Amino acid sequence: MRDRIDSPIVLLGCRLLSPYIMLFGFYVVIHGHYSPGGGFQGGALLGASFLLMRVAGGDEIGRLQLKEHLAKPLAILGVAIYFGTGLLSILLGGNFLDYSFLPIPGMDTEWLRYTGILIIEVGIGLAVMATFIMIYDNMARGEEEDD
Amino acid sequence: MFWEVELIIYIFIVLSALLALKVHDLLVAVVMMTVYSFSIALLFVAMGAIDVGYTEAVIGAGITGILFILVIYKTTRHTKD
Amino acid sequence: MIYAASSLPYRGDPNNLMHAEESMVGSKVIGSYAIQNTYLDARTPNFVTVILGDYRAIDTFGEQLVIYTAGMITFLLLAASKRRKNER
């Protein structure tokens, strides 16, 4: 970012807009059973809210929301939630990603599948959000090293 | 849905794609790409594929635009040809 | 291409083959099966979510792995170029 001009108006606008995009992203992830959307779209909205602050505020202000080294563990955690859900149902005697074998007491098969879809959508959302932040950070930092 | 709405969206898609190819300022080209993606998303929604349109609007008009703008800031804004 | 597109069936016609309950060889079509049975299977009104998250969950897992691999490739490539520049 060589010829970037720090504009307080743009920064204020993005600071106002970013939490609402983030809230809408959480809504899309959680409410994916009843409305269009799901893990991928909600994760992309969450990633867009972080990337908006990084574009508007530069490195120092953008890193305040989510540190750069936190992106990679979050992506691994998202993939691990999805894969762990599938592996748990294998270990308890079912097929891969068969949610009706999840060890949650007091639920019949339909609500277990409902809960399983919710769990893997949270995993997808985390992985997609952290991956977009990781791509942006690596592109921004890698080009600076070349100067 | 109504075919008039889809005709207007088709015209928007073709015009924004031609403008993104022809223009010399790369920032204008990126904005035209986001207009193109959003028109595609509107077309998907008009066809009834709401989830596909949602994904196209978020990815094509949001994330891709931000990444292209980052690359433009890193390199140069005007093309030679 | 325009000639080929002119003989496609109309979009949204309920008599199309993809909207029938059984295909030409007698097997069940996934679209009408999903519309009829997703709420009974998973208590979820949005059947796109059930198809992506339950019936075709391994596809979604592959999609997530593709995105994760793209992020890790940017990390590995750019970190490797930085390390090589430091060694020089």
Side-chain angles (χ1 to χ4, degrees):
Chain A
M1 305 236 172
R2 279 180 301 235
D3 51 353
R4 198 171 60 83
I5 304 166
D6 284 328
S7 166
I9 300 173
V10 174
L11 187 58
L12 182 65
C14 292
R15 277 174 58 196
L16 277 180
L17 202 55
S18 175
Y20 295 107
I21 296 177
M22 199 183 299
L23 189 64
F24 185 59
F26 276 120
Y27 167 75
V28 168
V29 171
I30 300 298
H31 207 255
H33 287 68
Y34 302 101
S35 64
F40 190 81
Q41 290 95 337
L45 275 171
L46 285 173
S49 73
F50 287 116
L51 292 192
L52 186 65
M53 281 308 291
R54 284 174 195 228
V55 168
D59 291 339
E60 297 84 13
I61 302 174
R63 302 283 192 275
L64 288 181
Q65 266 186 332
L66 187 75
K67 292 288 190 297
E68 187 182 352
H69 60 274
L70 275 180
K72 197 157 34 115
L74 277 181
I76 296 173
L77 180 67
V79 179
I81 285 175
Y82 200 134
F83 189 73
T85 308
L87 203 63
L88 197 59
S89 58
I90 281 186
L91 291 179
L92 294 176
N95 290 322
F96 184 60
L97 287 170
D98 192 357
Y99 305 130
S100 53
F101 286 93
L102 287 180
I104 303 173
M107 282 186 180
D108 50 353
T109 306
E110 289 84 10
W111 288 104
L112 273 178
R113 291 175 84 166
Y114 182 95
T115 315
I117 294 173
L118 187 63
I119 289 171
I120 67 154
E121 286 202 349
V122 170
I124 296 171
L126 267 181
V128 170
M129 177 196 80
T131 305
F132 282 134
I133 295 171
M134 197 160 65
I135 289 175
Y136 181 85
D137 280 341
N138 286 320
M139 281 173 73
R141 193 194 54 203
E143 292 287 332
E144 282 171 1
E145 292 292 329
D146 286 341
D147 284 339
Chain B
M1 211 182 271
F2 310 106
W3 65 273
E4 294 92 354
V5 180
E6 297 187 6
L7 183 67
I8 293 173
I9 293 173
Y10 274 124
I11 292 172
F12 260 106
I13 288 171
V14 172
L15 280 183
S16 59
L18 286 179
L19 206 57
L21 281 177
K22 289 297 178 188
V23 80
H24 289 281
D25 195 348
L26 283 180
L27 201 59
V28 179
V30 169
V31 172
M32 281 302 128
M33 276 291 293
T34 58
V35 170
Y36 172 80
S37 293
F38 203 77
S39 305
I40 292 269
L42 284 182
L43 187 63
F44 280 143
V45 172
M47 282 180 175
I50 303 179
D51 281 84
V52 185
Y54 210 131
T55 313
E56 178 71 32
V58 171
I59 298 296
I63 304 290
T64 314
I66 287 177
L67 289 181
F68 273 133
I69 284 173
L70 173 69
V71 172
I72 283 174
Y73 271 127
K74 291 302 177 187
T75 57
T76 177
R77 188 172 163 178
H78 295 275
T79 56
K80 295 284 169 43
D81 50 16
Chain C
M1 197 178 76
I2 292 174
Y3 173 70
S6 65
S7 65
L8 285 176
Y10 287 108
R11 169 160 47 87
D13 192 3
N15 294 321
N16 284 342
L17 271 181
M18 53 180 287
H19 296 144
E21 287 197 20
E22 284 189 352
S23 63
M24 281 190 291
V25 296
S27 61
K28 280 195 174 182
V29 178
I30 179 64
S32 54
Y33 176 79
I35 291 173
Q36 289 167 6
N37 288 328
T38 45
Y39 190 75
L40 304 176
D41 280 345
R43 296 281 184 272
T44 303
N46 187 6
F47 56 85
V48 178
T49 304
V50 182
I51 291 175
L52 287 180
D54 199 331
Y55 294 155
R56 301 286 184 265
I58 302 180
D59 275 348
T60 313
F61 183 57
E63 169 193 353
Q64 190 189 14
L65 275 186
V66 165
I67 296 169
Y68 173 71
T69 312
M72 288 309 284
I73 280 173
T74 60
F75 170 71
L76 291 174
L77 275 179
L78 293 169
S81 69
K82 188 179 70 176
R83 199 182 310 131
R84 202 179 308 131
K85 188 159 296 243
N86 287 336
E87 283 175 0
R88 240 176 241 164

